[in-house]
């Protein structure tokens, strides 16, 4: 149990004061540059880092999703990473419009090794970092500010020298004042300015300054203030790409990234589904699809999100949570009855409008846009209502149940769900529907044959004659009424004493075309006032109506 947190923990106070901050009134209108760090940052956070086969599979998937900047390795950290970079180059696996990125610490031998791994590469980003925050200066490294600056300058100078030895490669440099989010703003600016003095960027050859929330220590608005302050004060802004690399320690990395973009950031680094150290990096899938649902082309594409999930789970050895935004197995489904009813009505309205605009209760994205099926949108358990059950019957079987029949079927399905304590499948619902309304061979009254027509001299009056199988024997029946349904009911009353009063009758074609089947639904009252329902399905609409009467009579 937590006690005295006010004594044990110190609140993070925003280190910048921007009374005229501009980011809250801005809105995003375009996508940032994206960098996937799955193969480096994400990989180092795995209990079992990827082998070459899995890294290649992941890499190819990232290309397919549209990533054009991919951090592929920390080549000086292991022979496996070094060899992976070499294989991408020597096997010509880097498309012309793709730039690979690698990471290095600020040590001359490691920097040389890093550049060696990139020999022959047409273009590459080399990313150097060193820790700058006071906690790390004091506890981890025991260094003063000037020593941290000297370390950074030595590293970026070595990078420049190594790049000049390989003029055939188009180099982009990136620097991170690691732990930027709790580094003093003036010191973060100072060390970045010193780096720029060495690299001398231009608008044509910009450098990347990455400002990571290495450990999330404050609310997203604080991070946005820090980014806006830095963007306002850094020199040569037109020659600098501001990149952000949020982590998710407070669970707000996505919000921090979005607000950082409003504050002036140009680029976002992260991993698919938020993999990474501790609680992970920012989730690039969520960020991209958030933009998509606001009408902004994210520049990334996930037309078959389930395939992406499967590859990521295989390569990372970590499952994607079923409630994960956009990608989880359950995020496009509704179990609640009120939610199901709203979604069902939303789809009906969408079909009537036919204007291409997505406006759907509880579904911010069209599941079809990411390769998900509408059949999985509604799922049934004991919390579900008539709308969801009716939706599944309509989607699976083409039956548009009247409201009263929906209520009756819902009661039966909920009893099944309560007794089984599990989710009810579409097959379960259909089996219950067939049994409840006698669509199989268990009818008490079954049609053998019939004929019908209009009575002479009686305008609008119908006659019905036929043979009905009842309790294993065939019985000849006949009756008349003001319509076919009432004529069939009259024949049953005459032959068997089955007295039913019509409350409602509905029918519809189950699909378009010359071979369409028809469905008929009957709602009746028995002599004791209880209600029964009948359902008939046949190629002929009149026969479907007759079967609906026999279905209702079987229930009585």
């Amino acid at each position: 149990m937590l006690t005295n947190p006010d004594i044990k923990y110190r609140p993070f106070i925003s280190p910048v004061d921007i009374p005229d901050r501009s980011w809250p009134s801005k809105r995003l209108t375009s996508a940032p540059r994206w960098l996937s760090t799955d193969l480096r940052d994400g990989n180092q956070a795995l209990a079992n880092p990827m082998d070459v086969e899995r890294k290649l599979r992941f890499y190819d998937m990232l290309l397919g999703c549209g990533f054009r900047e991919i951090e592929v390795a920390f080549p000086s950290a292991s022979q496996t990473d070094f060899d992976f970079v070499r294989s991408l180059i020597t096997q010509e696996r880097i498309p012309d419009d793709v730039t690979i990125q690698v990471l290095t610490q600020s040590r001359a031998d490691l920097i040389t090794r890093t550049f060696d791994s990139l020999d022959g590469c047409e273009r590459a980003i080399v990313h150097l970092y060193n820790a700058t925050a006071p906690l790390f200066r004091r506890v981890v490294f025991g260094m003063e500010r000037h020593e941290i600056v000297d370390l950074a300058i030595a590293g970026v100078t070595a990078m420049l020298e190594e790049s000049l030895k390989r003029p055939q490669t188009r180099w982009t440099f990136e620097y991170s004042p690691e732990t930027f989010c709790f580094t003093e703003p003036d010191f973060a600016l100072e060390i970045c300015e010193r780096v720029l003095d060495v690299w001398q960027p231009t608008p044509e050859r910009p450098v990347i300054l990455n400002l990571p929330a290495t450990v999330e220590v404050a609310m997203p608005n604080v991070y946005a203030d820090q980014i806006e302050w830095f963007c306002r004060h850094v020199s040569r802004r037109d020659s600098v790409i501001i990149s952000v690399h949020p982590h998710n320690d407070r669970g707000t990395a996505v919000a921090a990234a979005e607000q950082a973009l409003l504050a002036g950031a140009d680029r976002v680094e992260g991993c698919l589904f938020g993999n990474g150290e501790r609680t992970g990096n920012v989730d690039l899938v969520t960020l991209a699809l958030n933009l998509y649902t606001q009408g902004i082309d994210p520049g990334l594409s996930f037309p078959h999100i389930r395939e992406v999930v499967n590859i990521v789970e295989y390569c990372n050895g970590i499952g994607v949570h079923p409630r994960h935004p956009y990608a989880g197995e359950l995020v496009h489904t509704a179990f609640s009855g009120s939610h199901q009813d709203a979604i069902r009505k939303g789809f009906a309205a969408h079909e009537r409008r036919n204007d291409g605009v997505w406006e759907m209760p509880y579904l911010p994205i069209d599941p079809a846009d990411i390769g998900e099926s509408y059949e999985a949108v509604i799922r049934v358990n004991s919390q579900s209502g008539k709308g969801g059950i009716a939706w599944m019957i309509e989607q699976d079987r083409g039956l548009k149940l009247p409201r009263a029949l929906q209520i009756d079927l819902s009661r039966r399905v909920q009893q099944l769900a309560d007794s089984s304590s599990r989710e009810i499948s579409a097959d379960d619902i259909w089996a219950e529907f067939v049994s409840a309304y006698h669509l199989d061979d268990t009818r008490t009254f079954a049609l053998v044959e019939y004929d019908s027509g209009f009575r002479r001299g009686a305008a609008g009056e119908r006659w019905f004659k036929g043979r009905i199988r009842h309790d294993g024997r065939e019985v000849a029946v006949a009756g008349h009424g003001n319509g076919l349904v009432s004529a069939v009911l009259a024949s049953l009353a005459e032959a068997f004493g089955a007295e039913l009063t019509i409350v409602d009758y509905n029918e519809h074609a189950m699909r378009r075309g010359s071979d369409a089947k028809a469905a008929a639904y009957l709602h009746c009252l028995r002599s004791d006032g209880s209600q029964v329902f009948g359902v008939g399905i046949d190629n002929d609409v009149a026969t479907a109506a007759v079967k609906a009467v026999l279905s209702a009579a079987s229930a009585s």
Side-chain angles (χ1 to χ4, degrees):
M1 179 178 178
L2 294 176
T3 58
N4 300 320
D6 57 322
I7 296 174
K8 185 172 184 178
Y9 296 98
R10 298 176 182 175
F12 185 84
I13 306 301
S14 177
V16 296
D17 182 22
I18 312 182
D20 61 338
R21 61 180 58 82
S22 64
W23 66 263
S25 61
K26 293 182 179 179
R27 68 184 185 91
L28 297 178
T29 58
S30 61
R33 288 171 57 167
W34 304 106
L35 173 77
S36 162
T37 66
D38 289 274
L39 299 178
R40 197 281 303 171
D41 197 345
N43 187 51
Q44 77 179 36
L46 300 177
N48 298 300
M50 294 180 234
D51 56 21
V52 172
E53 183 272 329
R54 288 188 296 165
K55 288 193 83 168
L56 284 174
R57 186 170 179 181
F58 207 123
Y59 173 78
D60 288 339
M61 182 263 294
L62 291 172
L63 294 178
C65 292
F67 283 95
R68 291 300 172 259
E69 294 182 4
I70 303 173
E71 189 171 60
V72 295
F74 198 149
S76 65
S78 72
Q79 190 64 43
T80 299
D81 271 18
F82 185 95
D83 291 344
F84 180 69
V85 176
R86 295 305 307 149
S87 70
L88 294 180
I89 298 168
T90 59
Q91 296 174 22
E92 299 183 347
R93 299 183 69 106
I94 307 170
D96 291 341
D97 60 345
V98 171
T99 304
I100 62 170
Q101 176 170 310
V102 295
L103 183 72
T104 181
Q105 293 170 306
S106 188
R107 275 177 41 191
D109 59 325
L110 302 183
I111 292 168
T112 299
R113 177 75 168 162
T114 299
F115 275 84
D116 286 345
S117 74
L118 294 166
D119 274 341
C121 191
E122 291 188 13
R123 70 185 60 81
I125 301 170
V126 181
H127 178 193
L128 181 139
Y129 74 97
N130 67 308
T132 57
L135 176 63
F136 282 76
R137 298 197 308 261
R138 184 179 72 252
V139 174
V140 181
F141 299 108
M143 298 172 72
E144 300 295 328
R145 275 194 182 194
H146 68 90
E147 295 173 292
I148 296 292
V149 172
D150 290 344
L151 181 62
I153 298 307
V156 299
T157 301
M159 284 174 59
L160 182 60
E161 292 172 350
E162 290 292 337
S163 71
L164 294 175
K165 298 174 185 177
R166 301 166 175 86
Q168 74 280 6
T169 300
R170 182 177 178 87
W171 299 104
T172 299
F173 297 148
E174 176 173 350
Y175 173 70
S176 291
E178 184 70 4
T179 61
F180 164 83
C181 58
F182 51 103
T183 295
E184 305 94 328
D186 66 309
F187 183 50
L189 181 65
E190 175 192 346
I191 198 168
C192 286
E193 291 287 3
R194 294 289 302 278
V195 167
L196 295 181
D197 288 341
V198 174
W199 283 342
Q200 292 294 309
T202 66
E204 295 73 32
R205 298 293 293 265
V207 301
I208 300 168
L209 293 180
N210 180 45
L211 308 178
T214 312
V215 179
E216 197 173 33
V217 295
M219 293 172 65
N221 63 293
V222 174
Y223 187 52
D225 279 353
Q226 292 171 300
I227 298 299
E228 180 164 342
W229 184 92
F230 190 93
C231 288
R232 286 188 186 186
H233 289 85
V234 69
S235 66
R236 292 170 277 203
R237 182 64 182 89
D238 61 349
S239 302
V240 171
I241 304 298
I242 298 297
S243 190
V244 292
H245 185 123
H247 276 254
N248 199 44
D249 301 88
R250 289 171 52 91
T252 56
V254 167
E258 291 177 333
Q259 292 184 17
L261 291 173
L262 292 173
D266 307 298
R267 182 177 187 253
V268 177
E269 307 182 2
C271 292
L272 301 190
F273 311 121
N275 181 43
E277 296 281 12
R278 305 180 312 281
T279 55
N281 294 281
V282 69
D283 177 357
L284 297 186
V285 175
T286 298
L287 278 173
L289 292 178
N290 280 355
L291 289 174
Y292 183 78
T293 63
Q294 299 303 303
I296 300 170
D297 181 358
L300 299 176
S301 178
F302 306 99
H304 304 288
I305 194 70
R306 201 56 43 206
E307 292 180 13
V308 175
V309 169
N310 291 340
I311 291 173
V312 171
E313 289 184 329
Y314 166 74
C315 293
N316 286 346
I318 298 174
V320 173
H321 195 280
R323 296 290 183 191
H324 194 101
Y326 301 110
E329 290 184 354
L330 297 178
V331 298
H332 305 296
T333 66
F335 288 96
S336 162
S338 61
H339 290 205
Q340 292 174 347
D341 186 59
I343 291 170
R344 183 177 62 87
K345 291 174 179 175
F347 271 106
H350 181 71
E351 185 174 348
R352 288 194 302 270
R353 284 198 326 272
N354 194 31
D355 58 7
V357 176
W358 185 254
E359 260 186 345
M360 191 65 57
Y362 298 111
L363 292 176
I365 192 171
D366 184 349
D369 287 351
I370 51 177
E372 301 291 82
S373 67
Y374 292 140
E375 286 73 13
V377 167
I378 286 176
R379 295 165 69 167
V380 172
N381 62 15
S382 61
Q383 301 299 306
S384 303
K386 64 184 185 302
I389 294 166
W391 161 271
M392 293 183 74
I393 286 285
E394 180 175 349
Q395 294 297 304
D396 200 47
R397 302 289 175 170
L399 299 176
K400 301 177 182 179
L401 307 185
R403 176 179 170 80
L405 183 56
Q406 291 178 26
I407 294 171
D408 187 70
L409 177 62
S410 174
R411 174 181 56 80
R412 298 172 184 273
V413 172
Q414 286 179 332
Q415 288 175 348
L416 175 62
D418 282 333
S419 63
S420 63
S421 299
R422 62 175 174 84
E423 181 184 343
I424 303 301
S425 69
D427 288 342
D428 293 330
I429 293 174
W430 180 245
E432 184 65 25
F433 186 81
V434 167
S435 174
Y437 307 113
H438 309 283
L439 298 185
D440 51 13
D441 293 331
T442 63
R443 291 180 192 261
T444 303
F445 298 93
L447 179 65
V448 178
E449 61 182 10
Y450 81 96
D451 194 11
S452 70
F454 291 96
R455 294 184 65 185
R456 290 182 180 178
E461 203 168 71
R462 294 285 295 267
W463 56 266
F464 171 85
K465 293 181 180 179
R467 298 183 66 78
I468 303 297
R469 183 177 296 107
H470 177 65
D471 289 341
R473 63 189 181 91
E474 291 186 6
V475 179
V477 298
H480 60 84
N482 59 6
L484 176 60
V485 170
S486 59
V488 179
L489 285 172
S491 72
L492 295 180
E494 177 69 23
F496 304 107
E499 298 282 349
L500 294 174
T501 302
I502 299 173
V503 175
D504 189 31
Y505 174 79
N506 293 271
E507 63 185 34
H508 68 81
M510 293 174 62
R511 64 177 184 271
R512 297 176 181 175
S514 58
D515 61 344
K517 285 189 174 184
Y521 311 100
L522 193 63
H523 180 189
C524 297
L525 291 179
R526 292 183 287 207
S527 56
D528 62 2
S530 58
Q531 63 181 1
V532 293
F533 296 89
V535 179
I537 299 173
D538 197 84
N539 292 326
D540 174 64
V541 65
T543 304
V546 174
K547 290 181 176 180
V549 175
L550 299 180
S551 170
S554 296
S556 66

